[in-house]
Amino acid sequence: MATLTPVDDLRTAPATPRAGRVRHPAAMTRALVGLAGVGLLLLLAQYAQGTAGGLDADVAEGTGLLPRPPERLVAAFGAAALLLVPLAFAVDRLLRRSGRRIADGVLAAVLAYALSLSLDLAVGGLTALTHPSPGGPGRTDPVYGHLAPVLAFMTAVGAGGLPRWRTALAATLTAAGLSGLLTGYATPLSVVLALLVGWTAAHAVTWALGEPTREPSELQLWVALRNAGTRPNTIRVAGTCCYRVTQHQDRPDLDVHLLDRRSGATGLPHHVWQLLRLRTAPLPLGLRPVRAALAHQTLIAHAAAAAGVRTPEPLAAAELGPDSALVAYRHLPGRPVGQVPPAEITDAVLADAWQQLRLLQRRCIAHRALTPDAVRLGDDGLVQLTDLAHGEIAAGELLLRLDVAGMLTVLGLRAGARRAVATGIAVLGPASIGAALALLQPIALPRATREALARQPELAAGIRAEVLRHRPQAPVEPVRLERLRPRTLATVAAGMAGGYLLLQALFGAGLDSFRAVAEADPLWLAAAVLAAAGSYLAATLGFVGFVPERIGLRSALAAQVAGSFVKLVSPGGVGGVALNTRFLQCSGIPTAQALSSVGAAQLLGLVLHLLQLALFTTMMGLGPQTDLPDPAWLAAGLGLVAAVLLSALAVPWLRRRIVGLLRPLRAEVLPRLLDLLQQPGKLAAGVAGQLLVSMAFVVCLYCCAMAVGARPAFSAVAVVFLAGNAAGSAAPTPGGAGVVEGLLTEGLVHTGGMDQGSAFAAVMLFRLLVFLLPVLPGWLAFTWLQRRRAL
């Protein structure tokens, strides 16, 4: 804490406030919105060129009907406005000692200009953004770059918060934009794109560097508190945006809380995420205007005090400026219950804490932030409830039950589950405690309480057991509090990715390839569809064969179909492995055995894949019949590999790493394979299934090639698929998208002897059948398994 400052010194102290910077999430949000706007505008210019060209023609026709002043005069007026207004604003800010903000504005202007030049180079071929230049040969710039630096500079410096300068900026940009349209050096889309670039650059710089904010000086605080009716004597800093103030004439001490942009930005991203995710999340203070946050805090505090709760009572509130205010509370000496020794947490203290919550609940006031710091033990031995800023009056039953669950957790952390439940039942009754049991879940608790509970993971189970011991009929099924689950976001992202890939496959290919797919031979196409469908039956057989326990074939088949949906949101085979493991867990198989079965299937599948690749390579004449490399080079290569392996084993930490990676194979997968040897029928089915999966895909690709009119050798197609799919599975993209297509196409061209158009058409048809079209059935199977609680 800072040293106490006497009031006599305050009157002679300089009034210069302490300056700082804060990264407000609103700036990042505006920058992201600007980027999205730039992207949408570029998409419009690329895919709606007719509409954009018609808009340009309409604007040109409309400007031609206006009275035609000399073009040079119009251009000179626009250029003068773009130069003089920012210069005058910079001088004004310098006189007001805002030099750092001017530096921010210059950086934003430079960034906007650089982005404009980059877009000019990158999208210069989009004719929808340009038209023939009126000053000579060539075309106009895609970005009307005169506007972007000016908008970026003035926005970053802070013209948006000054009405006069905001009006001057709007008039300047309007005049300059009309000047560009009248003289023919700009198109409507180039003007809009320049404004978006300037807006984005300004807010990106503002977020990266932080917005300047000024803490009030002691003298400003003293004057504001004095005018609000208090008698401040000394002021000291007690924390971020918090002050401790003593008063004259034996008046009580004050805890002063500052509301400004700094306090609103603290933890705002987390609060916004909770607001989007939870139905019960409070509105973050950072999203409220300062006056609204001030009114809310004082109202909830007065309501709690009127209910008889021991909580800091607001004694004064005052505005310090357009975006800052303060609230002064009566200081209550005490310690957070999280810092009180367990010996001092008696049953009387626990009962008093429940009694304070009961007073809130009788007035339908929800605290909404019960943490170990919000429940305090006063110096007089009585419990206090603080941190009511997120509270709510006229709260519904759900919010009140959440407070009971929060108090159960807070008191259980200090006194144990048995005493917390027993005293709660004694004060609130078994019905209220039992009703909160379904809300005793980490997501329903405040962040600080959740973090404390994570250090005592057995507490939640202990509280549930105690509540059920007193009230066996209490509901134990958790209440769904999530409005938006991460799984929902993944589902939406997967749907968008699937739609994008489908459009790219249908319309991104050349016209010849698209025509080849449209005119595919129906018999070969039907065979390809059957082979693609048969791959799921083979995958089911290969999956079930490595699980000694009995599982339902229908559900196992649905899990393999659901894997086609999971591939959209996971690279390679990671999603399928996770889904199969989760399916086995939900089928009652312990986690270790489930991982071992999936690992054994993957290991044997890899070995069989390599053996098939070697077999078909040999059939093509690229195997043992081909000439071996020069013996000297072969020996050198083998020696180098051996040296690398021995060196790795000689380094202790590398050796431990390798042993650690191989330990699961030795400790889990190999014993699982030994168990499967006791069931040779199942093991044979698993091996056959793993073989048939690869063969089904090879047959599908071969049929697709035959359907588009090509006649490749089957062994060549097999080598291309087995090699290309193995390499593509290492790609970080979902399902190897983009990588697999390129590898298979090049492989069919160079190994299968197909031309580029036919090879791409065959690969596109193959990926449609095995990757994109199964997405909808996969989603349906995924949903069905979830409803049956099989996932």
Side-chain angles (χ1 to χ4, degrees):
M1 291 185 180
T3 307
L4 290 172
T5 306
V7 66
D8 294 336
D9 294 339
L10 285 174
R11 290 174 179 173
T12 59
T16 303
R18 293 181 295 272
R21 285 181 175 259
V22 57
R23 286 192 179 95
H24 203 282
M28 179 178 62
T29 303
R30 295 188 182 105
L32 293 176
V33 170
L35 282 176
V38 171
L40 290 175
L41 189 61
L42 294 178
L43 286 177
L44 175 65
Q46 181 176 4
Y47 294 106
Q49 295 188 14
T51 303
L55 177 62
D56 187 22
D58 292 341
V59 171
E61 182 180 354
T63 55
L65 300 177
L66 297 175
R68 200 73 177 174
E71 294 182 357
R72 292 185 178 179
L73 179 61
V74 173
F77 176 78
L82 287 175
L83 177 63
L84 294 178
V85 171
L87 182 60
F89 185 57
V91 172
D92 178 77
R93 293 297 94 187
L94 280 175
L95 295 177
R96 298 177 183 272
R97 298 182 180 179
S98 297
R100 294 186 64 184
R101 297 215 68 175
I102 293 177
D104 297 347
V106 171
L107 179 60
V110 171
L111 178 61
Y113 187 67
L115 290 176
S116 300
L117 291 179
S118 301
L119 285 174
D120 287 341
L121 295 175
V123 301
L126 292 179
T127 57
L129 294 172
T130 63
H131 58 210
S133 177
R139 304 182 67 86
T140 59
D141 294 332
V143 182
Y144 191 52
H146 302 82
L147 306 183
V150 174
L151 177 59
F153 173 80
M154 296 197 67
T155 303
V157 176
L162 304 171
R164 293 182 179 178
W165 288 109
R166 185 172 62 239
T167 303
L169 174 62
T172 300
L173 295 176
T174 302
L178 290 176
S179 170
L181 295 176
L182 287 172
T183 57
Y185 284 96
T187 65
L189 291 187
S190 69
V191 172
V192 176
L193 185 57
L195 296 177
L196 287 173
V197 168
W199 167 271
T200 304
H203 291 291
V205 169
T206 300
W207 181 80
L209 300 181
E211 298 181 54
T213 182
R214 293 180 179 273
E215 296 182 18
S217 65
E218 288 86 352
L219 181 58
Q220 288 175 314
L221 289 173
W222 186 86
V223 172
L225 290 170
R226 182 78 177 187
N227 293 336
T230 64
R231 299 295 301 278
N233 180 31
T234 59
I235 299 174
R236 60 175 175 172
V237 179
T240 304
C241 301
C242 296
Y243 302 87
R244 176 71 53 78
V245 178
T246 62
Q247 296 192 85
H248 287 290
Q249 300 176 350
D250 295 330
R251 291 192 178 189
D253 292 351
L254 302 176
D255 290 324
V256 177
H257 292 246
L258 185 65
L259 304 177
D260 60 358
R261 298 183 66 84
R262 183 186 298 272
S263 60
T266 303
L268 185 57
H270 171 75
H271 290 307
V272 171
W273 167 241
Q274 291 295 94
L275 180 66
L276 293 174
R277 187 181 180 190
L278 296 181
R279 296 188 291 116
T280 56
L283 181 66
L285 296 179
L287 296 183
R288 297 174 177 171
V290 171
R291 289 192 62 85
L294 181 66
H296 177 80
Q297 288 200 23
T298 53
L299 175 63
I300 194 71
H302 279 302
V309 179
R310 287 186 289 273
T311 188
E313 179 184 1
L315 299 180
E319 280 192 340
L320 295 174
D323 56 356
S324 62
L326 62 83
V327 184
Y329 297 93
R330 182 192 300 272
H331 174 67
L332 292 180
R335 295 167 293 168
V337 72
Q339 301 176 9
V340 176
E344 298 184 31
I345 308 295
T346 63
D347 287 347
V349 170
L350 298 177
D352 190 22
W354 285 112
Q355 183 62 35
Q356 295 300 302
L357 182 63
R358 181 171 177 267
L359 293 175
L360 284 178
Q361 303 234 326
R362 287 179 60 184
R363 297 292 183 91
C364 294
I365 301 174
H367 189 288
R368 310 198 71 179
L370 283 171
T371 65
D373 289 338
V375 182
R376 299 172 62 89
L377 183 63
D379 294 346
D380 54 2
L382 300 178
V383 174
Q384 308 159 1
L385 296 184
T386 62
D387 299 340
L388 278 160
H390 294 287
E392 188 169 320
I393 61 175
E397 180 185 358
L398 180 62
L399 296 182
L400 299 179
R401 291 165 60 193
L402 282 172
D403 277 355
V404 176
M407 185 64 80
L408 272 173
T409 307
V410 169
L411 298 183
L413 288 168
R414 302 304 297 164
R418 183 184 60 81
R419 294 175 61 202
V421 172
T423 52
I425 290 176
V427 176
L428 297 183
S432 297
I433 300 297
L437 188 59
L439 297 171
L440 193 63
Q441 42 188 307
I443 196 173
L445 302 174
R447 189 174 187 176
T449 306
R450 188 165 60 246
E451 292 173 353
L453 184 62
R455 293 190 289 270
Q456 299 185 29
E458 73 286 349
L459 178 62
I463 292 176
R464 290 190 183 92
E466 283 296 320
V467 173
L468 291 175
R469 188 171 67 85
H470 289 275
R471 190 174 178 81
Q473 69 273 27
V476 295
E477 186 69 21
V479 175
R480 180 177 175 180
L481 301 175
E482 291 177 291
R483 175 188 291 117
L484 184 65
R485 296 183 178 184
R487 186 174 60 196
T488 305
L489 292 177
T491 301
V492 173
M496 295 177 64
Y500 174 77
L501 292 174
L502 183 60
L503 290 175
Q504 288 292 99
L506 290 176
F507 302 107
L511 183 60
D512 293 337
S513 299
F514 186 80
R515 185 181 296 112
V517 172
E519 298 175 355
D521 186 292
L523 294 179
W524 283 110
L525 183 60
V529 172
L530 290 176
S535 67
Y536 294 102
L537 297 175
T540 303
L541 185 64
F543 171 61
V544 174
F546 287 92
V547 182
E549 295 82 3
R550 185 179 181 84
I551 57 177
L553 289 178
R554 185 177 63 171
S555 298
L557 176 60
Q560 306 315 302
V561 177
S564 60
F565 168 71
V566 176
K567 284 191 297 186
L568 281 177
V569 292
S570 61
V574 176
V577 171
L579 184 140
N580 286 332
T581 304
R582 177 61 180 168
F583 172 75
L584 292 179
Q585 289 175 323
C586 294
S587 298
I589 298 176
T591 302
Q593 285 82 346
L595 288 171
S596 300
S597 292
V598 175
Q602 293 291 316
L603 176 63
L604 194 56
L606 175 62
V607 173
L608 293 175
H609 191 97
L610 295 177
L611 290 176
Q612 287 174 299
L613 179 60
L615 173 64
F616 284 107
T617 302
T618 303
M619 293 174 62
M620 284 185 62
L622 300 176
Q625 294 84 357
T626 57
D627 294 333
L628 291 175
D630 183 76
W633 285 104
L634 182 61
L638 294 176
L640 179 62
V641 172
V644 170
L645 291 176
L646 291 176
S647 300
L649 293 176
V651 179
W653 70 269
L654 263 180
R655 184 172 62 251
R656 288 193 298 269
R657 179 67 175 171
I658 294 174
V659 171
L661 292 174
L662 295 178
R663 184 177 294 113
L665 175 66
R666 176 176 53 83
E668 299 175 3
V669 176
L670 293 181
R672 194 67 163 173
L673 288 175
L674 294 176
D675 292 340
L676 285 170
L677 290 176
Q678 308 299 321
Q679 304 181 39
K682 271 211 165 189
L683 183 59
V687 173
Q690 293 292 336
L691 285 170
L692 289 175
V693 169
S694 298
M695 283 298 97
F697 286 129
V698 170
V699 170
C700 182
L701 180 58
Y702 177 77
C703 293
C704 290
M706 299 293 287
V708 298
R711 295 295 182 267
F714 184 82
S715 58
V717 173
V719 170
V720 168
F721 170 77
L722 293 171
N725 188 69
S729 62
T733 58
V739 179
V740 172
E741 289 84 353
L743 292 174
L744 293 183
T745 301
E746 293 301 317
L748 290 178
V749 170
H750 294 93
T751 305
M754 298 173 59
D755 62 86
Q756 187 76 28
S758 298
F760 186 81
V763 171
M764 184 177 70
L765 183 58
F766 171 73
R767 293 291 281 176
L768 281 173
L769 293 178
V770 302
F771 181 55
L772 294 177
L773 294 182
V775 169
L776 179 58
W779 175 75
L780 294 175
F782 190 86
T783 305
W784 182 74
L785 289 172
Q786 283 186 324
R787 291 179 178 176
R788 291 173 56 90
R789 299 185 183 278
L791 280 182

